[in-house]
Amino acid sequence: MSPSDFIEIQPVGGPLAARVRPPGSKSLTNRALVCAALADGESTLTGALVSDDTHVMIEGLSRLGIPIDVLDNGTTLRVAGAGGQVPAIEAELFIGNSGTTVRFLTALATLGHGAFRLDGVARMRERPLQDLADALNSLGATVRCESPGGCPPVSVHANGLPGGEASVRGDISSQFLSALLMACPCAASPVTLRVDGELVSQPYVRMTLEVMRAFGVEVTAPADLSRFELAPAGCYQPLDYAIEPDASAASYFWAAAAICGGEVTVEGLTRNALQGDVAFVDCLEKMGCRVEHLTDGIKVVGPAPGEKLRGAKLDMNAISDTVQTLAAVALFADGPTEVSGVAHNRHKETDRIADLATELRRLGASVEEKPDGLVITPGELRPALVETYDDHRMAMSLALVGLRQPGVRIANPGCTAKTYPNYFEDLSATVSKND
Ligand SMILES: O=C(O)C1=C[C@@H](OP(=O)(O)O)[C@@H](O)[C@H](O)C1
Ligand SMILES: C=C(OP(=O)(O)O)C(=O)O
């Protein structure tokens, strides 16, 4: 392995005293892009995330005939919405390993008239899409998954989306429902959507409804998000839309305070953020951190010198992107931490239960793997070359262990580009500010 294939994390000298503002939210950037593309006129998105996942969304929409001007180094996006239409008549889209992009654009493509095909990297060909295809086909679309098990490549033979009734499974990924919700107001007739069984990652569905509302489409939903009636709206309203900093990215900085002691304030996020992942700080609070909710930020204060974090029992179904961050913190607790409710983490960039367990063991922990989570018992930490499975969150979260344990090296650090290309620079700037 050449030196550029890994990065060695330098332990920090003392308690932290830092403020940080992570880049824009991936989930909000990609939703705002979809709603703006379906709007009747020009929208300007500010504070957008510049990363692989937003790049493939912008590129995909451009290939579908939606012009997007990229300004201010990519953080401002001017989108010329096509009023609920898809101008291109054929397109091949490369969507990398972006779950939001492949699911949202499959649904959006059904609104067009033509032949579209979406494909991505090898892992994307293992990530499920069949339930979304089935729901769209129930509404009169023609969508076919080409890989075994109902995975991309996916082909769409579009002739407008007629509408009607569909049910969709909620326990594999909430992105199927979010994709349907954003596309269906542009169907020809009313749509009723029913969610079959459990719905995971619910805050992301509420986020979808909020972004739709901002762009002028109001949907009433029952508290349990089990059924939706969508009237034909034709299109969304154009809007100047400011994107919050990414709350999943914020979790790494809050966790750094938990691991190193001292305090880290993440600016631009509050408890009222549209992103459910701000609730990660509640997990840190249960483990013994102090959390201060400020008017324009959230501060986490880690344990005082000589004090230890506590192990905790946590259902992380709603905030599953922060499981790996939590796991890094759990290695510094005084006892076991049990994470449950995240069976859906097996379908993400990698199997985020099995592969996470392997890497935590490599760092010295004992880990019991369960179907829907893991029990992490801290052990004596040791230097290790941590494998990252091309998963940005594996790299970003397990790097935190190296802030205390010397000799932690992270393989393929470039994989953070999926959502946070400058992560290692921002982490080292944040932890260099200490008391
Ligand atoms: O809708 C979204 O923006 C997302 C939903 C979640 O996926 P699942 O619904 O598959 O859990 C999350 O893991 C992903 O990073 C972003
Ligand atoms: C699961 C993730 O992304 P996606 O499903 O959008 O590829 C993630 O960013 O952690």
Side-chain angles (χ1 to χ4, degrees):
M1 182 174 280
S2 79
S4 62
D5 288 336
F6 66 82
I7 187 169
E8 180 155 347
I9 308 300
Q10 300 307 316
V12 300
L16 307 182
R19 298 178 73 83
V20 58
R21 188 181 176 98
S25 155
K26 168 198 81 170
S27 294
L28 287 168
T29 302
N30 278 359
R31 281 167 174 73
L33 279 165
V34 166
C35 293
L38 295 173
D40 187 15
E42 190 177 279
S43 297
T44 301
L45 317 182
T46 53
L49 174 64
V50 183
S51 75
D52 289 354
D53 276 16
T54 53
H55 174 75
V56 293
M57 175 62 89
I58 293 167
E59 185 63 25
L61 286 169
S62 305
R63 284 180 180 230
L64 291 171
I66 311 288
I68 301 177
D69 281 344
V70 177
L71 312 164
D72 300 333
N73 297 320
T75 60
T76 300
L77 302 172
R78 205 182 292 140
V79 185
Q85 308 289 313
V86 175
I89 53 166
E90 61 180 356
E92 293 266 343
L93 313 187
F94 176 75
I95 40 70
N97 193 8
S98 172
T100 53
T101 305
V102 76
R103 284 136 183 178
F104 299 172
L105 291 190
T106 295
L108 182 143
T110 66
L111 302 171
H113 296 268
F116 310 110
R117 188 165 178 273
L118 298 86
D119 196 5
V121 301
R123 172 63 179 169
M124 181 48 86
R125 292 180 168 199
E126 298 171 347
R127 297 187 66 188
L129 203 119
Q130 189 64 49
D131 297 300
L132 173 60
D134 289 347
L136 290 165
N137 291 339
S138 306
L139 299 173
T142 306
V143 178
R144 195 171 65 83
C145 297
E146 295 175 20
S147 289
C151 300
V154 55
S155 56
V156 178
H157 289 275
N159 194 15
L161 185 62
E165 295 200 7
S167 54
V168 65
R169 212 170 141 166
D171 62 342
I172 302 286
S173 170
S174 68
Q175 295 173 8
F176 304 153
L177 178 58
S178 286
L180 289 160
L181 285 168
M182 284 188 281
C184 285
C186 303
S189 59
V191 173
T192 301
L193 295 175
R194 274 186 314 276
V195 178
D196 274 349
E198 186 203 6
L199 176 62
V200 297
S201 296
Q202 292 197 8
Y204 287 100
V205 175
R206 296 187 201 285
M207 177 198 293
T208 302
L209 296 173
E210 288 303 324
V211 177
M212 290 170 64
R213 184 196 315 257
F215 282 85
V217 173
E218 184 96 26
V219 179
T220 46
D224 67 354
L225 302 175
S226 60
R227 186 188 160 93
F228 301 85
E229 305 282 350
L230 296 120
C235 62
Y236 289 81
Q237 301 305 313
L239 183 69
D240 289 347
Y241 188 79
I243 290 161
E244 296 172 351
D246 193 286
S248 321
S251 74
Y252 308 115
F253 300 111
W254 287 319
I259 289 172
C260 302
E263 56 182 59
V264 174
T265 301
V266 174
E267 296 171 356
L269 288 171
T270 67
R271 205 190 259 305
N272 298 327
L274 296 179
Q275 300 164 81
D277 277 6
V278 292
F280 177 71
V281 297
D282 300 339
C283 300
L284 294 180
E285 201 162 40
K286 285 195 182 121
M287 296 181 78
C289 295
R290 190 157 57 76
V291 178
E292 286 178 32
H293 292 275
L294 313 172
T295 46
D296 188 36
I298 302 179
K299 182 196 280 188
V300 169
V301 184
E307 276 176 17
K308 265 206 128 178
L309 294 162
R310 294 188 291 273
K313 265 188 152 186
L314 303 159
D315 181 338
M316 298 185 76
N317 183 295
I319 56 168
S320 61
D321 282 359
T322 63
V323 168
Q324 289 145 298
T325 328
L326 199 281
V329 176
L331 299 185
F332 297 92
D334 62 359
T337 290
E338 183 169 350
V339 175
S340 63
V342 291
H344 49 303
N345 267 11
R346 295 190 186 274
H347 305 295
K348 309 226 177 192
E349 283 77 340
T350 189
D351 179 336
R352 287 182 177 169
I353 297 179
D355 296 338
L356 177 60
T358 302
E359 298 314 309
L360 294 172
R361 287 182 193 121
R362 200 191 296 282
L363 286 160
S366 309
V367 184
E368 183 191 344
E369 188 184 332
K370 306 229 171 166
D372 74 329
L374 8 80
V375 184
I376 303 158
T377 305
E380 192 167 334
L381 288 170
R382 51 184 178 231
L385 174 59
V386 175
E387 291 300 331
T388 48
Y389 308 85
D390 221 4
D391 179 358
H392 54 142
R393 300 205 189 283
M394 200 71 92
M396 293 191 283
S397 53
L398 297 184
L400 300 169
V401 180
L403 299 178
R404 288 259 308 263
Q405 167 61 40
V408 172
R409 288 170 297 154
I410 300 294
N412 185 21
C415 69
T416 70
K418 186 172 190 287
T419 56
Y420 201 158
N422 294 328
Y423 174 71
F424 287 105
E425 290 84 344
D426 286 2
L427 180 66
S428 102
T430 303
V431 301
S432 68
K433 294 182 187 118
N434 40 41
D435 283 341

